[in-house]
Amino acid sequence: MPRRRFLKGAAVSFVAGQVIHQARGAAATDLTELQTSAPLIVSTWPFGKPANEKALEVIKAGGSGLDAVEQGIQVTESDPTNPSVGLAGIPNAEGIVQLDACIMSGPGHRAGAVGAVSGYKHPISIARRVMETTRHVFLVGEGAEAFAKKHGFEKGPKVSAGQKAAWKKWQTAQKAAEEKAAKSGKPLNHDTIALVALLPDGNLFGGCSTSGWGYKIPGRVGDSPIIGSGLYVDNEVGAAGATGIGENVMRYCGSFLVVEYMRQGLHPQEACIETIRRIAKMDPKGFDLAINFIAIDRKGRFGAAGTGTGFQYAATSSSFSKVLQSPGLTAADIGPIGGNRK
Ligand code: GLY
C-alpha cells in the first residue's frame, strides 16, 4: 500500500497508541483491537506463539530480557516436529543438521551469534554465551562447536531415522530437484524463529534461530545469525527480525532497514512494508523473494509484512496471545518510493 494512503486519515486509526495499517489484502489481521503494552513479544510463524508465551512467563517471573528471548527460542529449538529450527531441522546436503542463531541486547548494543553449528541443542544459548563471555560477536563451524563443548552446552539428539530417510530420498531425487530448483531459483521451504521483545522498562531484546535452507551446501550460513540481516535491535528505536530466503534478506541488511524506517517515524508494520518494497525495487526478482519481517518499536507498536500472500506471526502481551496474518506484497504494490525495479 502506498505510504500516501497510509498517511491519509481515512486509512489510519489509533487505538491504545497502535497506529493501524489497513493492509492490502482482506486476510491481513486488523490490529486495531489489540491493546498493546509492555511486556510485548512478537515472533515469526505460528510456532512462535508458545515461544512468546514462555518468554512472557520468564519476564513475569522476574527474568531478564535476554533470559526471556533465550528461553522462548529454546522452546522452538526443542520441538521435535519443527523441520526448520533446531536439531529436528532438515539437514544439509551431507545429511548433517547445521544451525544458525543470534541474540541481541538493546541495552549496551551487544550481540552474539553462531553459524553452521552441528550437534548442539540450543544454538541461541551458545550465541548468548559468545556475547557474554568473549570479545567477539560471531563464531562459526568447528570453532563454535569447540566453544560450545568447552562451555558444556547440551548436545542434542543425533539425526533421526526420519531425517536420514528423508535425506536419502532427497539424495536420490537430488538431480531432478536441483534441476527444478535451478529453474525456479527457489529453495526447499524453511522457516526461522525470530523473536523480539519489549520489556516494561522500555528495553528491547531479540533473537533468531534456524536450521536454514534444507539440503543446503555444507557451510552455507543464512541471514539468521547475521546482525542487521536476520535480526537487529536498536534500543532507541525498535527491533526487527526476518524469516524466509536468507539470501534475499542478507544482501540488503533487511532487519537493519526495518529499524531505520522506524527511526524515520514509520509504524513498525509500515517499516516492514517499505523494506520489502525497497528490496523488491532493487532486486532482479522483484517481489518474488519469499521474505518476511516482524517489527516492534519502543512505544509498544508492532507489525509484520511479507512478500506474496504474507505470512503468519505471533504477538503476545499480558492481555493477549495471538497468531496474526501479515499483509502481503506483490508486484501490484508499486509504491511512492519509486516503483519496482528500473
Ligand atoms: N532465513 C533463514 C535462512 O535462510 O537460513
Side-chain angles (χ1 to χ4, degrees), residues 100 190-192 210-213 220 222-224 242-247:
D100 300 336
H190 62 284
D191 302 330
T192 295
T210 190
S211 55
W213 185 322
R220 178 263 188 190
D223 62 317
S224 302
T243 178
I245 298 179
E247 282 71 3

Side-chain angles (χ1 to χ4, degrees), residues 166-232:
W167 170 65
K168 286 219 157 116
K169 201 168 156 194
W170 170 79
Q171 269 193 319
T172 313
Q174 187 180 5
K175 199 165 177 293
E178 269 173 7
E179 276 167 10
K180 203 174 161 198
K183 261 187 217 146
S184 71
K186 292 203 171 93
L188 269 176
N189 269 345
H190 62 284
D191 302 330
T192 295
I193 181 153
L195 182 150
V196 290
L198 174 70
L199 268 71
D201 61 6
N203 285 318
L204 289 151
F205 300 86
C208 196
S209 182
T210 190
S211 55
W213 185 322
Y215 308 122
K216 60 196 171 190
I217 295 175
R220 178 263 188 190
V221 171
D223 62 317
S224 302
I226 297 179
I227 302 303
S229 288
L231 179 77
Y232 195 66

Side-chain angles (χ1 to χ4, degrees), residues 24-25 27-28 287 291-292 305-312 325-330:
R24 197 187 159 72
F287 283 89
I291 56 172
N292 309 279
T307 47
T309 54
F311 78 118
Q312 289 191 306
Q325 175 64 41
S326 86
L329 279 92
T330 66

